[in-house]
Structure formats: structure tokens, C-alpha cells
Amino acid sequence: MVFIRDTEMSLRAGAALVNTLRNVSFDETDTLVSTDDLDLYLAEYPFTGRIRRDEVELRELRAARARLRELWSVSRVDAVPIVNALLRDGRALPQLVIHDGYDWHIHATDDSDPLATRILVEVAMAFAEVIRADQWDRVRVCSADDCDAVYVDFSKNGSKRYCDTGNCGNRMNVNAYRRRRARQTAGSPRPLPAASRSG
């Protein structure tokens, strides 16, 4: 395992939130436009504490996405002031907690803080671990030529190249196969007309 469980969960939740942006995924669809979309996100990435599921909360989460996206656009060193600002703005106060069948882990905000604040701080705490572990090379943007989705590579050997949002790996493999076939077809000699072969 590259990171402890709660760090990995926060990194996955942060990437998934960023990947709801319209200009990130290969199909350019904003997937966080309604409270129903918010419910879908929270079903996959549950957070404890107060959750209002209203338009204000939705608006705050939509605004949080750009701040998180920045982390995938910078170097390890340049991520430090971003992480520190997220922790400072969220008034982070790390504390050990245990609940809902999870073992001891850290919460750095109050359960009554806005959901967007709690997510920003939890993701910032997770990125602090990435920085401290010197694993920044695992913070990646999809290598597909038509996708800018973000992810953190949790594979053992750190070889993941594509996100999981749009089946990008399969699409790029099919595209590469088609290009190879086209080159092979273009490079193979054309058969001679029947009259030329008989001569």
C-alpha cells in the first residue's frame, strides 16, 4: 500500500471532485450541476458531519473544484503553499477520531463546518502526506490525448498512465492499434494487376 487508507480515500475523493469539472473529462460534461449530482458524489465518497444537500452547499463545492485542480498543475515544491493555504483557510486543527467502523484516523475540521471546507482540508491533509512521503510523481493528469482528468497513481509500481473516468486506457489502446494497422496497410505493397503478373 502506498498511503494509509484515509489518505487514499481523501485523495480519491479530491480527484473525483476535480473530475466533475466540464473541461476535465474527455466528454467535457460538468457532472456536478444539481443536488442529485451531489448525492451521487456523496454516495461514492461519503463524508461525516453536517451535510445540507442544498444549493448553497452545491455552489460551495463547485467553487472548491478549481482550488483542488491547482494541485495537479504544480510541482511538489509549488504545491506546499497551496496545501498550507487550504489548511489555513479551513482553520485546520487535526485530531484523532474513531467512528462508523473506521479505525483511528485524523479529522482536521469540525463536523459542523461547511462540507466544502471539510473536503478541502481533508484533501489538503492527504496531499501533505503525499509531499512528506516524496510521492509527488504519483499525482498525475491522464495521458490520453483527449482527457485532462486527474488521479493519484496507487499502483504498486507507479506505472498507471490513464484515469478511470472515461475508459481512457482502452480508448488509447484501440487508437494506437488503429494507427499501427493504418501504417502497416499504407506500407504494404499493392498487388499487381492480373495482366502484369502473367507476363
Side-chain angles (χ1 to χ4, degrees):
M1 178 168 28
V2 180
F3 303 107
I4 59 172
R5 185 173 185 273
D6 58 320
T7 296
E8 181 175 334
M9 289 170 55
S10 294
L11 292 169
R12 288 184 187 278
L17 185 58
V18 169
N19 289 338
T20 64
L21 284 163
R22 183 188 66 77
N23 60 343
V24 169
S25 67
F26 77 100
D27 64 358
E28 296 195 356
T29 303
D30 188 325
T31 56
L32 188 62
V33 295
S34 69
T35 53
D36 288 341
D37 295 335
L38 174 57
D39 287 341
L40 288 172
Y41 174 78
L42 291 173
E44 190 163 354
Y45 303 98
F47 282 82
T48 58
R50 181 177 59 133
I51 298 177
R52 298 187 317 263
R53 287 184 164 84
D54 60 16
E55 292 297 326
V56 171
E57 192 165 73
L58 177 64
R59 199 165 43 249
E60 291 169 348
L61 273 179
R62 287 174 54 81
R65 299 180 298 180
R67 289 192 77 185
L68 291 180
R69 178 60 177 89
E70 248 189 302
L71 289 166
W72 275 269
S73 306
V74 297
S75 68
R76 178 181 180 224
V77 170
D78 292 335
V80 171
I82 298 169
V83 168
N84 286 341
L86 291 170
L87 294 172
R88 185 176 50 253
D89 293 349
R91 298 179 316 280
L93 182 62
Q95 299 175 59
L96 282 167
V97 295
I98 188 168
H99 60 83
D100 298 326
Y102 296 111
D103 200 359
W104 290 106
H105 59 284
I106 294 176
H107 281 193
T109 56
D110 192 273
D111 281 351
S112 63
D113 285 340
L115 178 61
T117 300
R118 286 183 281 138
I119 290 175
L120 286 170
V121 168
E122 284 204 21
V123 174
M125 292 284 293
F127 269 92
E129 287 303 309
V130 175
I131 293 166
R132 286 171 13 101
D134 195 13
Q135 295 292 317
W136 197 258
D137 59 332
R138 291 178 177 269
V139 176
R140 301 190 181 153
V141 176
C142 186
S143 293
D145 53 17
D146 60 351
C147 182
D148 287 322
V150 301
Y151 66 98
V152 176
D153 182 1
F154 298 109
S155 68
K156 286 186 179 181
N157 63 3
S159 63
K160 186 172 174 154
R161 295 180 50 218
Y162 301 108
C163 71
D164 296 323
T165 62
N167 208 13
C168 291
N170 285 343
R171 271 186 307 108
M172 292 302 105
N173 288 336
V174 168
N175 289 350
Y177 172 78
R178 288 179 179 157
R179 282 192 299 271
R180 282 192 308 274
R181 293 288 294 162
R183 280 194 303 269
Q184 289 170 351
T185 302
S188 60
R190 295 176 186 241
L192 294 173
S196 301
R197 278 185 267 152
S198 61

